[in-house]
Each structure stands twice: as structure tokens, then as C-alpha cells.
Amino acid sequence: MKWKLIPWLALIVVVFSACSQENLETPDGFILVKGGAFVNTNSNLYGTIVTVPDFYIGKYEVTQKEWVDVMGSNPSEFQGEDMPVETVSWYDAIEYCNKRSEKEGLKPYYNIDKDTIDPNNLSEDDDIRWTVTINEGANGYRLPTEVEWEYAASGGRKSRSYIFSGSDDPDEVAWHFRNSGDEYLEGFWHWPTIEGNNSRPQPVGQKKGNELGLYDMSGNVREWCWDWHGDNVDTGSGAERVWRGGGWIGQEEACKMNFRGSLEAHYKFPDQGFRVCRGDWQ
């Protein structure tokens, strides 16, 4: 499916300010991504008119320690403080963003109406369907947009046009079904073999980072993004939300920086997590 660029540009304009952040100190655990056009020749958006404003993004996927500090309990199937939180839905990730914002004295980025069914959610199976809108001008934590995620994963201004986020070799930068267990697996994807190999997510930051110093964007857990996926994104609706980056269960193909995946927002899997963003740090 070809992306239609005008709605993406509108989303960027509405959601983000273009204020200068040159003199702000980047906080621990985050990377300031300087905006611009897509440099990576393998990107879905290379050669288009889409540009991205400056933003901050988590250096790592949200860890289980970070989750428990905010939410009070751990939903992960494979537990460890330094491992990415997983088995979380898109709604769980949205709630985490707001609760972390409140805990740190920030204005929550999302308005969450749990009593109103979202008319833009076209899923026939999602029994949650909260209405979630953006609280314009808020300085709290949020999910990256798909455009932001790909820009950061592709190396931003510093991109060397790698196929994966930081390398042309997935084993250097990603955990996937072949290398996430006791032995390196050859041959085709086969779940009983993966399960029997003690495969699992790994502590964050163990692989090589990309050009911006971001880790695990090509594979550990799949990462929720804000956007709808599908033919109705132009009108702000859809049946599924986007995820990007490969997971420890998945194949190398899904680890590619330009691979696009999606799931209905209520789904939870042990290879599904997220990282957070902010548009400013004032």
C-alpha cells in the first residue's frame, strides 16, 4: 500500500511544535533526534517531501522496572527488571504514558475517555475501544508516530542507509527467532523449535546501537506506535494500530527498518512492547 503523504504532514503539523531545542540538555535515557528529511535510501519515505521536527525518544524500550515504578505490577511473561515490558496492549501503553506524565508533574499528552466507544475504531473484535485523543500543547510522554519511529530507526540526519536499524546484519542489532535462545537456529521459522530453544526477550541495550545511539529498534519486542494502519488512515480511522521493529519471536524480515506491521489495539503478546517520546523538555 502506498502511503498518502498529505495526512501524514497534517498529523506532524498538528502534533508537534517546531521550537528550537539546541540549548536543552538531553535527559538520561533519551536521545534528542534532530529533525529533517529522510536520508536513508531504504526508508519508505526517502525522496518524499515529508520532514520531521525535532523530538526526544527513549534510548531503550520501556523496561519492566520503569513499568512497575509507574503502574505497580508487571504483566510480562518473561520477567526481569532490565528486560523490556511486554504483553501490553496499545491501550496499556497509552495509560502508562499518562500515568508517568502525572507522576513526574507533566501535563498528560492523551485524553482517555473509557466510557465512549471510539467511532474511528473499525475493529469488530476490540471490546475496549476507548476514545483516545491528543491533548494539544501537553508536554507529557507519548508513543512515537510511525513517521517519527522510522526516522529515528533509519538514523535520522546521521543515517548510513542501513537495511536494519544500525547495520546491514540483523544479528548485530536485533533479537529475532534465530538468535534469541540457547542456540542459533537455522532453517525455517517453526514455533515448537523456537519454544524448545528457550527463546525469549533480552535485557535492553545488549546489541549494537544505531547511528543515533538508539537500541533494539530492529528487534527485541515489537513497538507500538500512535497511528492507525490500513486503507482508512487518511480519515483518522482503522481497525489496527501500527507496530514497528521486529520481535524476538519474529523473522529477520520484520526487523528491517522499513517493515510495517499492525495489530488490533487490544492485543497482548509476549513480544509486544513500546518506547516513549516527548516533543520537548521544558
Side-chain angles (χ1 to χ4, degrees), residues 180-220:
S180 62
D182 294 338
E183 298 179 3
Y184 194 90
L185 299 179
E186 305 289 351
F188 295 108
W189 190 97
H190 181 244
W191 172 243
T193 302
I194 296 169
E195 188 176 30
N197 197 36
N198 196 33
S199 299
R200 59 180 55 230
Q202 303 294 324
V204 300
Q206 301 300 301
K207 293 286 187 178
K208 175 185 171 184
N210 77 352
E211 299 94 319
L212 298 175
L214 299 170
Y215 293 84
D216 298 322
M217 295 199 81
S218 266
N220 199 2

Side-chain angles (χ1 to χ4, degrees), residues 40 42 161-169 218 255-258:
N40 190 313
N42 292 295
S161 290
Y162 291 128
I163 298 172
F164 302 93
S165 183
S167 179
D168 287 329
D169 179 359
S218 266
C255 295
K256 290 181 177 179
M257 167 276 307
N258 59 9

Side-chain angles (χ1 to χ4, degrees), residues 78-191:
F78 300 93
Q79 298 202 358
E81 284 193 348
D82 295 331
M83 293 168 66
V85 68
E86 29 89 351
T87 318
V88 289
S89 69
W90 183 88
Y91 300 108
D92 294 332
I94 292 291
E95 265 202 311
Y96 170 86
C97 289
N98 271 13
K99 289 187 177 182
R100 179 169 173 178
S101 298
E102 292 167 354
K103 182 177 180 179
E104 297 183 16
L106 304 171
K107 188 174 182 180
Y109 192 80
Y110 299 112
N111 300 305
I112 303 174
D113 183 351
K114 298 183 179 181
D115 298 320
T116 302
I117 293 177
D118 184 359
N120 295 313
N121 188 333
L122 307 181
S123 169
E124 297 180 356
D125 299 318
D126 186 348
D127 58 357
I128 299 177
R129 297 178 66 192
W130 297 342
T131 297
V132 180
T133 56
I134 292 169
N135 189 4
E136 292 187 30
N139 61 351
Y141 295 97
R142 58 179 177 79
L143 294 179
T145 66
E146 186 177 10
V147 169
E148 284 180 315
W149 191 98
E150 184 163 320
Y151 182 75
S154 72
R157 293 182 183 179
K158 299 180 180 180
S159 177
R160 298 176 184 173
S161 290
Y162 291 128
I163 298 172
F164 302 93
S165 183
S167 179
D168 287 329
D169 179 359
D171 290 330
E172 283 192 328
V173 294
W175 297 106
H176 48 84
F177 90 93
R178 297 190 188 280
N179 67 4
S180 62
D182 294 338
E183 298 179 3
Y184 194 90
L185 299 179
E186 305 289 351
F188 295 108
W189 190 97
H190 181 244
W191 172 243

Side-chain angles (χ1 to χ4, degrees), residues 66-77:
E66 289 175 318
W67 178 275
V68 171
D69 286 347
V70 172
M71 306 298 280
S73 60
N74 191 348
S76 303
E77 182 171 331

